[in-house]
Amino acid sequence: MKSGFSMISAKGLYFSYTGTSPYILSGMDFDIFAGEYISVVGDNGSGKTTLMRLILKMIKPSSGLIVSSAKRTGYVPQRNNGADSGFPITVYEMLNAYRKLLNVKDKDAVSENLSLVGMHGFENALTKNLSGGQRQKTLIARALMGEPDLLVLDEPSTGIDATSRRDIYRILKALNQTKGMTIISVEHNLMAAISNSTRIYHLAGGHGHICTPEQYVAEYMKRPEGFGDA
């Protein structure tokens, strides 16, 4: 859905890590509107992660512009070194530290966000003992701290079981539809992209093509490799 204003806008966007040709992303122009759920798809090496880093302002364009009007952006990485390591930190400690970092005054924000993702009761669990799905839900709860209006995720269903995948996408769809949160998700899971997105941004050859899920199916359904996992 479109709210009438652009949250992310790119004009004449070029990027390479050398700053010169050949470019990973070349001459890209697009708008992502507030309230949309955008899945970014494409083959390995197509520039999905690079585009995500540009949106998050981790890197700067070689030329052109990419502008965000988001008041606050939440980010869910594909993996989290703190959660994956053997460091003895609880779910509550990890989220509460992030709450303090963001200067969120509401001390109930940790428990509220954990409840939102179905992790109520796991406050005292060590992050190293969580399953992959529980870990991902915890990272989503952390990203929701401070009530972001933009949520960016890097392959949210990688390395988790089928039940957890369904839970993750149910959570994301609810955030988008009930809270109006804009979501940009780098995806390898094409079935999830088709089922959940308002639009899909397909990257290939340094260029992007944005379309509805229905248009994407019509354009790519003839591919012999199909659409991947659900």
Side-chain angles (χ1 to χ4, degrees), residues 26-181:
S26 180
M28 296 176 67
D29 296 279
F30 63 84
D31 285 283
I32 294 172
F33 296 91
E36 288 201 282
Y37 185 142
I38 301 291
S39 291
V40 181
V41 304
D43 294 336
N44 290 337
S46 61
K48 300 188 299 296
T49 298
T50 299
L51 179 59
M52 179 191 69
R53 289 174 177 169
L54 286 163
I55 291 170
L56 292 169
K57 300 181 181 179
M58 294 178 175
I59 53 178
K60 295 181 179 180
S62 299
S63 62
L65 296 172
I66 183 165
V67 179
S68 171
S69 64
K71 294 178 181 177
R72 200 187 84 71
T73 300
Y75 170 50
V76 181
Q78 188 178 138
R79 296 185 68 84
N80 176 264
N81 291 333
D84 288 342
S85 72
F87 188 77
I89 185 171
T90 67
V91 168
Y92 180 84
E93 288 169 340
M94 185 176 80
L95 268 66
N96 197 48
Y98 199 63
R99 178 187 68 81
K100 292 178 179 178
L101 179 66
L102 294 178
N103 198 30
V104 174
K105 302 299 184 182
D106 184 5
K107 293 183 179 180
D108 293 329
V110 171
S111 59
E112 288 171 357
N113 284 330
L114 286 173
S115 294
L116 195 62
V117 300
M119 287 292 289
H120 175 71
F122 285 83
E123 288 83 353
N124 295 322
L126 291 173
T127 58
K128 67 177 183 178
N129 293 335
L130 298 176
S131 68
Q134 291 167 344
R135 214 170 282 177
Q136 192 72 329
K137 291 174 187 177
T138 300
L139 294 178
I140 293 173
R142 185 183 70 171
L144 295 177
M145 202 69 65
E147 300 183 348
D149 50 351
L150 173 64
L151 183 64
V152 180
L153 306 100
D154 187 6
E155 298 193 0
S157 63
T158 295
I160 62 178
D161 62 89
T163 299
S164 295
R165 285 200 301 269
R166 288 191 291 270
D167 288 344
I168 295 297
Y169 289 114
R170 176 185 52 78
I171 292 165
L172 296 180
K173 201 163 187 176
L175 290 170
N176 176 248
Q177 293 185 344
T178 65
K179 292 184 174 292
M181 190 177 297

